[in-house]
Structures are given as structure tokens and as C-alpha cells.
Amino acid sequence: MNPSFQIHKNDWFAFLHKSSEEYNVYLPVRFNNHIEYEILQDEPENIALNIARPVTPLKTFLLPVKENVVINTSIHNKNIIIGVPSCDLHALDLLDKIYLDQKFIDDSYRINRENTILIGTDCLEIHENCHCISYNINPFPEINHDLSLVAVNGEIIISVNSGKGKKLFDELKSSFPVKEAEKMQIDKIQEKRKEIIIQLKKNNKSLPDYQKTGDLIQKSEDEIWERYARTCVSCGACTTICPTCTCFLLIDRPDFEKVRQVDACQFPGFEKIAAGEDPLKRKYVRFRNRYLCKYVWRPGQFSSIACTGCGRCIDSCIGNISKNEIFIEMAGDDG
Amino acid sequence: MSETKNNIYKPIKAKVDKVIQESPAIKSFVLIPEHEFSFKTGEFIELTLNGYGEAPFTPSSSPLEKKKIEVTVMKAGYVTDKIHALRPGNIVGIRGPFGRGYPLEKFYGKEVVILGGGCGFAPIRSLLYNLMAEKDNFKKVTLCYGAKTPEDCIYKPFVDELRKVDKFEIYRSVDKADETWEEKEGVVTVLLDDIKVDIPNSVAVVCGPPVMMKFGTFKLLEMGYPEEDIYLSMEKNMSCGLGKCGHCMLGKYFVCKDGPVFTYAEIKNEPGIWL
Ligand SMILES: Cc1cc2nc3c(=O)[nH]c(=O)nc-3n(C[C@H](O)[C@H](O)[C@H](O)COP(=O)(O)OP(=O)(O)OC[C@H]3O[C@@H](n4cnc5c(N)ncnc54)[C@H](O)[C@@H]3O)c2cc1C
Ligand code: SF4
Ligand code: FES
């Protein structure tokens, strides 16, 4: 852990209220059984810090579903996003490599990225489908965040992880009492982290690791894909909710404008070429395409993983398909 | 913010200068971009029809020409239909150039055998202009071109010119000949039986519809070409041209960024290379 500081919860929220004059401040809030980012207004209720995980993946803040990328009419708000889980922070590796590729920088993504302060959080309560640990990601902020925070015993424990984070932290320090974090609190967090890791490992003990999954997919027979794809309706829920799926289509508008709109390989016709030929014509081939992309192709291209183990695609599948079941079956006894 | 000169999604404008009917289904368009535009042979552009759509094309003109650019377009669907309706004076948009074209330096000192079919002649013509301009760097150039019928053969005046150039040998075939046709009849690969080529000192370039690419490649392998000396120009669905949108994936490759030109050795194990 970076050097940590401690501030009372009430002071922290007072600071956020003050910051919301300049920024859109997003907080994780619990609705029924799920957690969602809410913009900070009035007295926030049901705030769910340290709990895995917002339904909406972080990418949505950086790559809107639909956006005019030629005249760029979007309002690029300044955002503070609180409670980003480690898996979503890891997903930024791939997104940055794609959208900030030095040769072709996507301006809109760049501006959104620059305008956003990311405050990562520990997952001290995990979701049943969380499996970050199987892919070497820890359930606490490791990379790609500006600040990280954990709420324990009515106190907020904060550490600073970037220049942008330091700037905000300095503002905090100048108007509210901030002290060095007590050892007791840090120990408590460290202890909790260990417990959560054990729990994640236990929940996922049959799941093969990343590399092994890629190898298994490449060696797999069509039969298993045909079988699992039977209930797939090509709705694209899995790609929409995935923190690393960002495929899109450019749509032309008058005045040579273009709209970048979310698209997905799960939709029929995604790879159709003139004369109607389509390598992804068959449903199970489309279904498998997503896994080949995540576990074989993207890692090959970008040296970044493309599944961070957030489990959202499992929650959201209306065909009740669990990718992890597929991989556990493939791994068989030596999984 | 951000109507910048460098916006990667924003096309530059180009005026249609001339429209040439090449065959019943194929037209060429000479475009004058609003400012100089250069590309390397085999790289491609995205052509925007204002408000309608965008499609990728490999320029068929000489890469040495910077003021004009020519594309040859087969009528194949929505966007290409609209392109065929363009008239001189119309304004289109272009983005690019994108991708990795033909690695000419690797061809130096060798014989170049080119196998082209249908509209696949477009990128090949640009390559041929380049090879002509640098004739001394190559031993010999053999073009094998095939089309469905004699009237589907494109670039007739260009082919007549090419026949007069030393070191260049031209062979043509049509699937179905008529009484006017004096060259070969049959699928384009049959032309490979007639050519004289020193395979160990040669490279092969293939461009055409997917089936033709497939059988062309197999035939070249059978003749003894090593996999890494067969250059294929791959066609995939494309949108961005920038390695971002994901439409053009060929296994781990983005055809728009890593291709469209690949050696067979590079892609042979990727799924769906012939679709
Ligand atoms: C690198 C490259 C170079 C090419 N060079 C040439 C050339 O020089 N001459 C030529 O005639 N053709 C060329 N093509 C093929 C040409 O791009 C397609 O024929 C054209 O895109 C078909 O568009 P359409 O809207 O008329 O077809 P439709 O079948 O109506 O397409 C409908 C939609 O499907 C998608 N689509 C279908 N086919 C393609 C495709 N091949 N690429 C991208 N999107 C597609 C598009 O989103 C399009 O809006 C090239 C293709 C590639 C990838
Ligand atoms: S997958 Fe891991 S990092 Fe992501 S929400 Fe679950 S526990 Fe947290
Ligand atoms: S065309 Fe968009 S990634 Fe290749």
C-alpha cells in the first residue's frame, strides 16, 4: 500500500459536495440487489463502498454508447468516479492501448480519460461471479487509478497514486482535517484483503488460469461451442457489459460527420463482406469468437489481458450461459 | 473542442474529376483531394459518401502521383451502388492511407509473379505502376489476370501499354470466352501452367475474390513457392481502418493495421482466411 491517510467519513462527504461544484461526482450506490454509480446530489443514501461491484463497467464513462467523433458535440464533463473495482482498472490497460495508440489517438477518449479522476476501491465483499484472482488480478486497486480509498469503522483511508490524484488530495488536505492512517486501520484492511483472496480462490478453485484458458480454447472441438451456444440469442449483453469489449461501427452523417456507435461481434453481419460472405455466419462461431478474442487474440496483439474476471457477462446472459462453466468443463480433472 | 486537423475520423474532401466505365459492374473514379495525398502501393483508403456510408478501397493509381488518386470500384452493395452514381464535380471524403502495403524492397532483384482476378486488379495496377517506375530493381514481372468474360476485363488501355514494356509479360484468361477472345479460357490459375518462372528467385502476389485467392495460393504452393514468398491482399469487413473498431479481425491480426497485405506464412493458421 502507498502511504495512507485517514479522514472522517463526514468530512470526506463534505469535501465531495464541495467538489461537485466543479466535477460530476459518481458514487457506488446499492439498489435492491445490485450496485450502480449514482451522481452525488443532496444526502446520498445506500452508498456501497468496498463492495463488488457496479453493474456498469468503467468503459461507459470513457466511450459513450453513441458519439459524434468528427465535430465532437459531447460535453466532456470533469468526472470523479469513486469506487472503481480493481478489475475495471485493469481493463484500462487494453483500452488505453487501443484508443491512445500514438499513431491514431482517439481524441474523445483522450479528453474523457484526462478529465476523469479515478478513485479505486477495495472489494471487501465480493460478488458470486467474481474471479479476478484466477487471472492474477488482486481485489484491491493495483494500477491505473489516481486515488484509492477504503471505508473502515467510519473512517476513510485514502492513498495517492498519481499526479492527478495528488492534486485532488491536496485540495482535500487544505480544507479538511487529514491525518496519517492509524496502523490499526491499515492492519484491518490488510487482514481483510487476505481473507477476500482466500475466498476468491476457494470460489474459483476449478477455474483454469488465463494462459491455460487460451490454450484450451484453441484446442477445443466445435461440439462444446455448439452445445453452449444453444441458448445464446446473440443479444450482445455480454459485450455491452464487458469492461474490455469496445468494438464499434462508424455511422455517416451529413457534413462528413461520423458517429462512433457500440457494436459487437455477437451481432449477425458484424464481419459480413460484399457479396454476402460472412466468416461469422454461424451462431456458435460468433459465440466462440468472443472467447478467442479475449483469451488468444487480444493478448497476442496488445500483451494485455482482455478478461479481468469481473463476472458481469455471467450475470447478464439471458441464455444463462456461464463462460466459467465452459472453461471448467474444458479443463476437466486437471483444471 | 477537437475539430482538429488530426481528427482520425474526419475525412478530407476530394472532388470527382473523371469517371471511367471499366466493365459493366466496375467503374474507376479519378479524385482530386483538397490537398496532396500520398500512399504506398497496397495501402488503402476509406472513401466516404457524405451522409451515406464509407467503404475501403485500395487506390489503383500510381503511388508516385500526389495530386490525383484513382479508385476502381465494383458495384457490390449499398455504398458501392451510391459510388457508381457519382458524377464529375461531386465531392467525396477520404481518410487514410491505412495499413501495410507491398514490401517492395523485399522484391528487389527478384521476379515478381502477380495473380489477379476481377476487381483485384485495382491494387495490382498501382503495384504495376510502381514496378514499372523502378524496373531496374526487378528481374521480370509476370502478370496473370483473369475475369469472368471478355467484357469483364478491366484496364484495357493500361494492359495494351504494359505489353510494350520490356521485362513485363502479360497473360490473361476468361472463365467464358466468346469469338472475340484470343487469349486463354479457364479459371485464372490455369495461366500459371504457361508461365516461365525461376521460383527460388521469385515472389508471388495474389489479389482477387476469396475463392480465387484460395485456389491461387494452393496452386502456388504446389508449384513450390515457399509460404513466406506468397503475398496476399486480404479482404475483410472494415469500419475504422485504425485498429480500433474490431470489424476486420483475422485471428490476432487487424487487417486494417497489420495488413491488408500479408504473407501466407503469417496468416495460414488463422481461422476463416478464405471466409
Ligand atoms: C483493404 C480493402 C481494399 C478494397 N479495395 C477494393 C477495391 O479497390 N475495389 C473494390 O471494388 N472493392 C474493394 N474492396 C471491397 C469493398 O470495400 C467492398 O466491396 C465494399 O465495402 C462493399 O460495400 P457496400 O456497402 O457496397 O456492400 P454491402 O454488401 O451493401 O455492405 C453493407 C455494409 O456491410 C459492410 N461491408 C460489406 N462488405 C464490406 C467490406 N468488404 N468492407 C467493409 N465493410 C463491408 C459495410 O458496413 C457496409 O455498409 C476492398 C476491401 C478492403 C477490405
Ligand atoms: S472481479 Fe475482483 S476486482 Fe472485480 S469486482 Fe470482483 S472482486 Fe473486485
Ligand atoms: S477496420 Fe476497425 S479495426 Fe480494422
Side-chain angles (χ1 to χ4, degrees):
Chain A
M1 262 175 114
N2 281 356
S4 302
F5 302 89
Q6 186 169 333
I7 176 170
H8 193 271
K9 226 175 187 163
N10 296 345
D11 288 338
W12 169 248
F13 284 109
F15 173 69
L16 292 183
H17 275 292
K18 199 176 131 212
S19 304
S20 60
E21 287 161 20
E22 189 185 346
Y23 298 91
N24 282 338
V25 177
Y26 290 90
L27 280 170
V29 168
R30 193 191 280 281
F31 291 98
N32 301 325
N33 287 327
H34 62 267
I35 301 197
E36 198 40 288
Y37 293 108
E38 266 271 280
I39 213 158
L40 175 70
Q41 285 164 334
D42 313 323
E43 279 318 297
E45 273 175 52
N46 300 325
I47 293 173
L49 287 172
N50 323 335
I51 301 173
R53 67 196 147 24
V55 174
T56 302
L58 181 62
K59 69 172 182 189
T60 316
F61 290 97
L62 306 170
L63 293 163
V65 170
K66 202 170 183 177
E67 179 168 37
N68 188 323
V69 282
V70 166
I71 54 162
N72 205 342
T73 46
S74 313
I75 306 152
H76 295 279
N77 291 318
K78 289 173 80 178
N79 292 331
I80 296 177
I81 305 174
I82 298 170
V84 186
S86 177
C87 47
D88 280 7
L89 295 171
H90 274 270
L92 282 185
D93 267 4
L94 183 65
L95 268 53
D96 285 351
K97 282 179 186 161
I98 296 174
Y99 291 93
L100 301 179
D101 169 4
Q102 276 311 310
K103 222 176 135 206
F104 300 116
I105 294 179
D106 183 305
D107 274 334
S108 168
Y109 177 88
R110 179 184 56 77
I111 297 166
N112 287 339
R113 188 85 166 81
E114 285 168 2
N115 280 357
T116 301
I117 297 181
L118 296 172
I119 307 189
T121 196
D122 269 57
C123 303
L124 299 184
E125 249 179 67
I126 56 172
H127 183 282
E128 57 173 336
N129 291 325
C130 285
H131 55 288
C132 51
I133 207 76
S134 304
Y135 301 157
N136 276 330
I137 293 175
N138 278 312
F140 47 81
E142 299 178 297
I143 52 167
N144 296 333
H145 55 297
D146 301 304
L147 294 171
S148 69
L149 69 79
V150 195
V152 273
N153 308 327
E155 296 286 316
I156 301 282
I157 310 298
I158 300 186
S159 50
V160 177
N161 298 277
S162 76
K164 244 195 306 187
K166 174 148 193 326
K167 221 174 132 236
L168 191 73
F169 181 71
D170 287 343
E171 284 170 36
L172 170 71
K173 233 173 31 182
S174 67
S175 35
F176 293 94
V178 175
K179 59 179 182 185
E180 232 170 81
E182 292 156 9
K183 181 160 180 310
M184 183 189 85
Q185 311 285 16
I186 303 278
D187 289 348
K188 173 107 185 123
I189 296 170
Q190 298 291 21
E191 188 192 319
K192 261 312 236 179
R193 283 184 177 180
K194 278 192 204 130
E195 275 170 37
I196 293 297
I197 288 174
I198 292 168
Q199 204 180 328
L200 278 166
K201 283 189 176 154
K202 193 168 138 240
N203 290 358
N204 296 292
K205 61 179 184 305
S206 325
L207 191 66
D209 69 19
Y210 206 83
Q211 175 74 44
K212 175 101 193 279
T213 306
D215 295 345
L216 287 167
I217 295 172
Q218 278 180 295
K219 277 191 297 197
S220 63
E221 304 281 335
D222 288 8
E223 186 277 330
I224 192 163
W225 300 104
E226 282 171 312
R227 179 154 46 83
Y228 276 95
R230 243 177 249 153
T231 54
C232 169
V233 291
S234 301
C235 67
C238 51
T239 60
T240 308
I241 205 142
C242 174
T244 66
C245 274
T246 67
C247 286
F248 63 83
L249 180 68
L250 291 175
I251 296 169
D252 284 84
R253 292 274 179 267
D255 295 328
F256 293 96
E257 287 171 20
K258 288 180 199 293
V259 170
R260 156 157 68 39
Q261 182 175 309
V262 167
D263 201 355
C265 63
Q266 298 307 297
F267 299 146
F270 183 77
E271 289 196 6
K272 186 169 92 59
I273 65 161
E277 290 189 81
D278 184 356
L280 300 183
K281 194 175 254 150
R282 306 181 68 174
K283 189 175 70 177
Y284 83 91
V285 179
R286 284 201 297 282
F287 179 73
R288 179 178 58 195
N289 192 71
R290 181 157 179 274
Y291 299 109
L292 276 164
C293 183
K294 300 213 159 293
Y295 291 89
V296 184
W297 301 333
R298 285 289 188 269
Q301 266 275 334
F302 294 100
S303 318
S304 279
I305 60 172
C307 175
T308 59
C310 72
R312 290 185 179 99
C313 59
I314 304 173
D315 302 351
S316 67
C317 180
I318 61 171
N320 263 324
I321 307 168
S322 160
K323 76 173 178 75
N324 288 354
E325 262 174 47
I326 308 177
F327 301 145
I328 291 168
E329 176 180 333
M330 278 178 181
D333 293 336
D334 50 86
Chain B
M1 114 129 250
S2 169
E3 186 164 6
T4 57
K5 225 172 50 225
N6 306 324
N7 185 321
I8 54 172
Y9 299 111
K10 189 180 172 171
I12 63 164
K13 295 199 174 98
K15 191 160 101 186
V16 178
D17 184 44
K18 230 160 72 186
V19 179
I20 305 148
Q21 185 88 45
E22 303 280 6
S23 79
I26 299 176
K27 283 182 181 179
S28 290
F29 301 84
V30 180
L31 310 173
I32 304 178
E34 60 184 332
H35 45 76
E36 279 198 5
F37 188 92
S38 45
F39 65 93
K40 294 207 190 82
T41 180
E43 293 175 347
F44 70 97
I45 61 160
E46 283 281 354
L47 185 73
T48 297
L49 273 192
N50 190 16
Y52 283 108
E54 202 179 31
F57 301 99
T58 315
S60 55
S61 48
S62 169
L64 308 172
E65 169 71 71
K66 311 283 180 217
K67 296 219 157 42
K68 288 183 184 177
I69 174 170
E70 193 169 335
V71 289
T72 302
V73 177
M74 187 165 75
K75 220 172 161 157
Y78 182 71
V79 177
T80 48
D81 271 4
K82 294 276 186 218
I83 293 175
H84 269 236
L86 286 171
R87 299 278 168 266
N90 289 160
I91 303 293
V92 295
I94 51 185
R95 294 193 297 128
F98 297 125
R100 179 181 70 163
Y102 296 107
L104 279 192
E105 333 70 55
K106 291 207 178 140
F107 301 178
Y108 284 174
K110 297 190 172 168
E111 287 185 31
V112 183
V113 171
I114 302 173
L115 190 62
C119 205
F121 204 160
I124 286 172
R125 186 172 73 168
S126 143
L127 173 64
L128 286 164
Y129 276 125
N130 221 159
L131 295 172
M132 271 198 280
E134 295 188 41
K135 213 162 54 164
D136 296 342
N137 288 328
F138 309 96
K139 273 223 190 89
K140 193 169 100 178
V141 175
T142 309
L143 170 69
C144 301
Y145 173 69
K148 284 207 182 92
T149 68
E151 68 164 1
D152 291 313
C153 286
I154 61 171
Y155 303 148
K156 284 169 194 135
F158 173 76
V159 169
D160 291 340
E161 282 304 302
L162 206 59
R163 289 187 200 276
K164 294 179 205 148
V165 185
D166 63 311
K167 286 195 186 178
F168 281 67
E169 287 180 15
I170 319 300
Y171 298 82
R172 291 195 306 178
S173 74
V174 291
D175 298 353
K176 206 172 168 359
D178 61 15
E179 58 292 347
T180 65
W181 189 250
E182 291 171 349
E183 295 164 68
K184 196 122 176 171
E185 187 174 21
V187 289
V188 62
T189 43
V190 300
L191 295 172
L192 292 171
D193 296 328
D194 300 345
I195 66 169
K196 281 177 287 302
V197 55
D198 173 21
I199 291 172
N201 290 308
S202 120
V203 293
V205 170
V206 190
C207 187
V211 244
M212 183 235 127
M213 302 262 285
K214 175 174 168 181
F215 290 107
T217 302
F218 291 168
K219 176 92 182 196
L220 290 163
L221 290 169
E222 216 176 273
M223 287 165 70
Y225 272 94
E227 289 166 350
E228 53 281 355
D229 288 339
I230 303 175
Y231 291 86
L232 305 172
S233 188
M234 302 306 288
E235 182 177 344
K236 290 290 278 179
N237 183 309
M238 286 187 183
S239 180
C240 70
L242 307 159
K244 303 192 194 307
C245 76
H247 277 266
C248 68
M249 299 291 291
L250 185 69
K252 68 169 186 266
Y253 298 108
F254 288 98
V255 172
C256 69
K257 194 171 81 172
D258 306 316
V261 176
F262 293 96
T263 65
Y264 180 61
E266 287 174 308
I267 55 168
K268 63 174 178 176
N269 292 325
E270 302 302 338
I273 59 171
W274 317 120
L275 301 170

